[in-house]
Amino acid sequence: MRFLLESEQAEFGRTLDRMLGAADTPAAVRAWAGGGFGPGRALWARLAEAGVFALAVPEAHEGLGLLPVELAVAYVELGRHAVPGPVVETAAVAVLLGALPDGSGVAKEWLPRIAGGDAVVTLAAGAYALDADAADAVFVAAGDTLRTAAGHGPLRESADPARRLFAAEGGDVLARGPEVRAAVARAADLATFLTAAQALGTGLELLRRTVEYAGQREQFGVPIGSFQAVKHRLADALIGLEFARPLLFGAALSMTSADIAAAKAAAGDAAYAAARAALQLHGAVGYTEELDLSLWLRKARPLRDAWGSPAVCRARVTGSP
């Protein structure tokens, strides 16, 4: 089956690409990694103006409703431009709160702020919360209970310095019961789906930069991109990414857990393979922090494993325990 975006969806992606391309995201990523959130928050506001976060917020709370295809388009671009911050987790919180019976008023309090970009929030559904020190609220899901964290522990080491991991601590209970567990499952599926889109975008940018470099770097008087072995390595990376793309947009149409898991496994593996090819073909320069390529190289493996490692996702596809 061939998946083609509608003209409006394709233009949405191009608009985000132009906007992010003019925003110096590498500088924002480096600042975010060091705890300087100003440039990243400014970028966040521009994404909100473009409607990115409203795509996960119900219309009843000033959003556009859940639009998975448009979200996939947007998050591929966020991955291509290495946008920092808990962009996946904020969308997941929007879905979680939108799925809860709102007796406490928490959805009314937070969802319009998420849609408008006024609130950066994150979600801990496991050991750690991403960017808890940058977030206006940390939502913690455990079993049938949802609470907001009162604080967080020290910064944990991460392969990607711009993915700042913390253990969430304490907090007030917002909701409890079986409906919480169901809402968290929906939010986790969305987080897996959007992480797959981010991984795909990361892999595409790694490949683009490597192809460009292979056309410039010379050995024996010719570009290394003319060597058959290099061509094969780049072609293998491209094939992996192009196989992942229809799985991602197929999952956007069905939004079933199995389809989402298949897309995540494929996109995560493809992005990691693109990172390995990029590192090898750039040679020693690929290891330098000064090269912007490092910002994408550091993201590939964490995105591969976040919200479902390839092994976990494959087990979900096959129904294995």
Side-chain angles (χ1 to χ4, degrees):
M1 183 179 294
R2 190 178 183 194
F3 296 99
L4 294 175
L5 296 175
E6 296 179 358
S7 59
E8 293 85 356
Q9 295 166 337
E11 181 57 31
F12 178 50
R14 288 190 291 267
T15 299
L16 290 177
D17 181 33
R18 290 191 295 268
M19 183 188 78
L20 294 170
D24 192 11
T25 54
V29 174
R30 289 188 169 96
W32 194 277
F37 306 125
R41 291 291 295 245
L43 189 58
W44 194 284
R46 295 189 66 186
L47 290 170
E49 288 177 5
V52 170
F53 303 113
L55 294 170
V57 174
E59 293 181 77
H61 294 285
E62 301 182 23
L64 299 173
L66 183 61
L67 298 174
V69 174
E70 284 78 4
L71 279 167
V73 170
Y75 277 72
V76 168
E77 294 304 323
L78 268 56
R80 286 186 61 227
H81 291 275
V83 172
V87 289
V88 165
E89 289 72 18
T90 291
V93 168
V95 166
L96 193 163
L97 297 183
L100 286 177
D102 192 27
S104 65
V106 64
K108 185 177 180 180
E109 175 185 359
W110 286 102
L111 288 178
R113 295 181 62 193
I114 291 172
D118 298 325
V120 174
V121 298
T122 191
L123 174 65
Y128 300 119
L130 179 66
D131 296 318
D133 60 337
D136 299 303
V138 179
F139 293 84
V140 182
D144 289 344
T145 302
L146 177 68
R147 59 186 174 86
T148 52
H152 58 77
L155 176 65
R156 303 300 179 104
E157 186 176 356
S158 172
D160 177 6
R163 290 179 63 84
R164 301 169 61 84
L165 302 175
F166 300 85
E169 298 177 343
D172 299 323
V173 173
L174 298 176
R176 181 180 283 122
E179 67 277 2
V180 172
R181 188 182 294 271
V184 169
R186 289 186 59 187
D189 274 346
L190 184 76
T192 302
F193 171 69
L194 296 182
T195 304
Q198 262 194 314
L200 178 61
T202 298
L204 290 170
E205 182 61 14
L206 283 164
L207 180 61
R208 184 194 71 79
R209 288 172 176 263
T210 306
V211 169
E212 183 179 83
Y213 181 75
Q216 297 170 350
R217 179 186 170 192
E218 292 189 356
Q219 285 186 355
F220 311 112
V222 296
I224 65 170
S226 65
F227 299 155
Q228 197 70 15
V230 173
K231 290 180 180 179
H232 280 295
R233 192 67 192 271
L234 294 172
D236 287 343
L238 176 62
I239 288 170
L241 293 166
E242 289 304 318
F243 273 124
R245 191 194 302 268
L247 289 175
L248 176 69
F249 284 99
L253 296 179
S254 72
M255 288 305 286
T256 65
S257 292
D259 286 350
I260 290 170
K264 176 59 165 57
D269 281 344
Y272 188 53
R276 290 172 63 89
L279 187 58
Q280 181 184 32
L281 296 179
H282 275 80
V285 72
Y287 288 90
T288 62
E289 291 286 347
E290 293 78 12
L291 190 69
D292 284 349
L293 181 79
S294 65
L295 305 179
W296 283 266
L297 285 174
R298 286 180 172 272
K299 291 184 181 302
R301 184 163 185 169
L303 288 175
R304 184 193 69 171
D305 296 334
W307 293 102
S309 68
V312 168
C313 288
R314 290 189 180 96
R316 195 179 304 167
V317 173
T318 62
S320 302

